[in-house]
């Protein structure tokens, strides 16, 4: 039986209604139960998630009432619901925030369900480790990915130059930007978005310098000189027309993909993640690809790492923890579910599911898979999970200072010094 929904109903999740159609099937203990699920992403991710939810309902008889928001809107809403004791049963979680949520008991440890409701046989060990906090399992990785640069191939063709590749440096980006200006591509599209407020791009740049965004004990892994150099790099790009203007970058609300610089036609490149290529390509007719972040100098690597793209966790206040654990098990193990999901959330973490999706991958999926599998000398070790205050430092400090420098309210020197001193103060208050 199929149920067609209006857009508003569809955005709230088809699976709860499909559960009604499937009522009466599945295990008796699951009958009538409904899980509430919340995740970030776009419509392409929602379509896949809802389809898997319907498979789960058909197999288990339990409904899934699902909703989603863009990244920037997701976290404030999740924080509000969690603080109010109304957290979803199934929460999409990020490596950046898992420590904070685990230590506040906002998500539940899953160890007691492993081997029973939660089957993890053959699960990649590094991906399991990424979901642990203080030795306990709090998140199930939904796929492996890496940061990546989203590239509009058509724009580079119009500029008459080769697109970036794995050897491209920041100096090369400058040369590419000058070529874009000379060719007046699409009336002034810039070669790259303003990356100065991108935490992953800063992290990658620092790692190439042998530094770190955060140390293993949760302190800053760089000093004011490094922060000043970072803001100065992008100020030069901005002043010389290499990256987008302050006004254009401000249009990116860190929410819907539709507001990003490549999708809006403001730039030909922007920081992204390997698993997001699939979603971005659905929004554009121009051919897209991904490549690594720029090297700081020729032959310098180690800035990238493979990490859990995201997790599913179980809400700490959930009254249906065992059923939620069974859902997580279905999501990562079921072969039909794997075929629906593809690699949109990252490379599957179980060999059998990887084999199941491989024959049906489209061109964008194949690019993402090959990128993550062939990082080579770009690859460095997985850093420790960031401290609980990392989210605040990212949203309330780095992004704000990036815009203040862009609009001329601060100099790179002032921003760099303030960034380090205020970030240290935030970490101290949170400890």
């Amino acid at each position: 039986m199929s149920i067609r929904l209006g857009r508003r109903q569809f955005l709230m999740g088809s699976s709860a209604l499909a559960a009604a159609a499937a009522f009466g099937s599945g295990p008796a203990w699951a009958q009538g139960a409904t899980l509430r699920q919340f995740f970030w992403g776009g419509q392409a991710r929602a379509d896949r998630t809802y389809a898997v939810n319907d498979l789960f309902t058909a197999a288990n008889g339990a409904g899934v009432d699902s909703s989603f928001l863009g990244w920037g809107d997701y976290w404030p809403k999740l924080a509000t619901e969690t603080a109010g004791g109304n957290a979803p049963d199934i929460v999409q979680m990020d490596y950046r925030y898992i420590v904070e949520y685990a230590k506040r008991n906002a998500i539940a440890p899953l160890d007691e369900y492993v081997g029973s409701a939660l089957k993890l046989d053959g699960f990649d060990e590094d991906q399991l480790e990424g979901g642990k906090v203080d030795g306990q399992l709090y998140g199930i990785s939904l796929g492996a990915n890496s940061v990546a640069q989203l590239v509009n191939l058509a724009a580079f063709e119009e500029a008459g130059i080769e697109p970036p590749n794995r050897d491209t440096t920041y100096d090369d980006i400058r040369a590419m930007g000058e070529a874009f200006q000379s060719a007046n591509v699409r009336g002034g599209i810039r070669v790259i978005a303003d990356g100065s407020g991108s935490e992953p791009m800063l992290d990658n740049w620092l790692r190439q310098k042998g530094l770190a965004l955060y140390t293993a004990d949760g302190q800053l892994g760089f000093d004011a000189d490094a922060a000043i150099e970072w803001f100065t790099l992008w100020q030069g790009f901005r002043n010389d027309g290499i990256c987008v203007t302050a006004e254009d970058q401000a249009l990116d609300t860190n929410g819907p993909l539709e507001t990003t610089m490549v999708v809006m036609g403001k730039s030909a490149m922007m920081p992204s993640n390997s698993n997001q290529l699939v979603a971005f390509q659905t929004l554009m007719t121009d051919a897209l690809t991904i490549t690594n972040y720029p090297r700081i100098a020729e032959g310098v690597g180690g800035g990238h790492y493979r990490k859990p793209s995201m997790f599913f966790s179980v809400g700490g206040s959930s009254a249906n923890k065992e059923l939620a654990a069974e859902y997580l098990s279905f999501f990562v193990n079921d072969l039909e579910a794997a075929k629906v999901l593809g690699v949109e959330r990252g490379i599957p973490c179980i060999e059998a599911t990887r084999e199941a999706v491989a024959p049906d991958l489209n061109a964008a999926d194949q690019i993402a898979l090959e990128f993550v599998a062939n990082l080579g000398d770009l690859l460095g070790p997985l850093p420790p999970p960031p401290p609980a205050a990392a989210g605040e430092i990212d949203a309330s400090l780095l992004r704000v200072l990036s815009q203040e420098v862009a609009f001329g309210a601060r100099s790179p020197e002032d921003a760099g010094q303030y960034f380090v001193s205020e970030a240290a103060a935030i970490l101290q208050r949170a400890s």
Side-chain angles (χ1 to χ4, degrees):
M1 176 179 182
S2 64
I3 300 173
R4 293 194 177 276
L5 306 175
R7 178 169 175 80
R8 178 175 174 82
Q9 290 171 301
F10 186 72
L11 288 173
M12 290 306 295
S14 64
S15 298
L17 293 183
F23 191 80
S25 63
W29 69 269
Q31 303 244 347
T34 298
L35 294 168
R36 193 160 66 89
Q37 176 190 56
F38 189 33
F39 61 95
W40 74 81
Q43 192 62 56
R45 177 170 299 165
D47 292 347
R48 295 169 189 247
T49 305
Y50 297 160
V52 171
N53 290 352
D54 292 339
L55 290 174
F56 177 74
T57 293
N60 294 274
V64 185
D65 184 3
S66 184
S67 61
F68 73 98
L69 288 172
W71 170 273
D73 296 323
Y74 174 83
W75 295 103
K77 182 173 176 60
L78 180 61
T80 298
E81 291 192 350
T82 300
N86 189 37
D89 300 293
I90 301 164
V91 177
Q92 193 165 279
M93 184 51 52
D94 186 71
Y95 191 66
R96 178 187 303 168
Y97 296 114
I98 192 168
V99 172
E100 175 185 359
Y101 273 75
K103 288 186 177 296
R104 292 196 289 111
N105 298 315
I107 52 177
L110 302 170
D111 304 81
E112 64 180 289
Y113 306 112
V114 175
S116 53
L118 181 54
K119 308 292 187 185
L120 296 175
D121 298 335
F123 208 90
D124 291 340
E125 190 61 34
D126 65 326
Q127 296 297 300
L128 275 182
E129 287 299 315
K132 292 182 179 180
V133 177
D134 295 335
Q136 289 187 291
L137 184 64
Y138 282 90
I140 303 303
S141 173
L142 305 183
N145 80 340
S146 178
V147 293
Q149 190 97 274
L150 185 71
V151 181
N152 184 329
L153 291 171
F156 276 89
E157 184 176 353
E158 292 167 28
I161 60 173
E162 291 295 316
N165 57 46
R166 61 179 295 111
D167 296 321
T168 298
T169 66
Y170 278 95
D171 286 342
D172 294 330
I173 296 296
R174 172 173 285 280
M176 291 174 181
E178 292 168 353
F180 265 67
Q181 291 181 70
S182 297
N184 193 29
V185 177
R186 302 185 184 185
I189 184 175
R190 303 294 172 86
V191 74
I192 193 168
D194 185 344
S196 62
S198 167
E199 183 197 71
M201 206 164 195
L202 170 60
D203 179 37
N204 182 277
W205 182 83
L206 289 168
R207 284 166 58 89
Q208 291 187 64
K209 288 178 166 290
L211 303 171
L213 194 60
Y214 298 104
T215 63
D217 60 354
Q219 301 303 308
L220 286 182
F222 61 97
D223 60 15
D225 288 342
I228 292 169
E229 184 181 354
W230 174 251
F231 287 121
T232 300
L233 168 68
W234 288 98
Q235 181 77 322
F237 278 1
R238 198 179 302 111
N239 290 343
D240 296 338
I242 307 301
C243 73
V244 299
T245 65
E247 291 78 10
D248 281 346
Q249 188 64 47
L251 297 173
D252 186 345
T253 61
N254 202 40
L257 301 184
E258 290 83 352
T259 68
T260 55
M261 293 295 95
V262 168
V263 176
M264 294 182 73
K266 303 294 185 181
S267 74
M269 290 190 294
M270 56 172 271
S272 182
N273 291 289
S274 59
N275 63 294
Q276 290 184 297
L277 175 61
V278 177
F280 276 112
Q281 189 63 80
T282 65
L283 298 175
M284 299 188 67
T285 56
D286 288 343
L288 305 176
T289 192
I290 51 175
T291 189
N292 49 281
Y293 284 177
R295 297 178 189 258
I296 62 172
E298 184 177 348
V300 178
H304 286 254
Y305 52 89
R306 293 190 186 99
K307 77 175 186 71
S309 62
M310 61 201 73
F311 308 98
F312 268 152
S313 296
V314 174
S317 60
S318 172
N320 296 298
K321 291 185 177 68
E322 185 173 3
L323 179 58
E326 184 173 336
Y327 173 89
L328 268 57
S329 186
F330 182 90
F331 200 90
V332 299
N333 282 286
D334 186 82
L335 299 185
E336 291 305 311
K339 292 176 184 178
V340 171
L341 294 167
V343 296
E344 194 277 331
R345 277 185 167 95
I347 310 305
C349 301
I350 298 174
E351 184 175 0
T353 56
R354 287 194 289 269
E355 292 176 351
V357 305
D360 298 321
L361 293 181
N362 60 29
D365 290 332
Q366 286 284 1
I367 290 169
L369 178 63
E370 291 173 10
F371 175 79
V372 174
N374 295 290
L375 287 168
D377 72 318
L378 296 163
L379 192 65
L382 180 70
E392 179 183 353
I393 293 171
D394 175 31
S396 301
L397 193 58
L398 177 60
R399 291 185 222 161
V400 171
L401 289 172
S402 168
Q403 286 204 347
E404 288 181 350
V405 174
F407 281 103
R410 287 183 188 268
S411 68
E413 292 76 16
D414 182 35
Q417 292 169 357
Y418 184 77
F419 182 30
V420 170
S421 62
E422 184 59 21
I426 291 171
L427 291 170
Q428 180 62 34
R429 290 195 297 269
S431 64

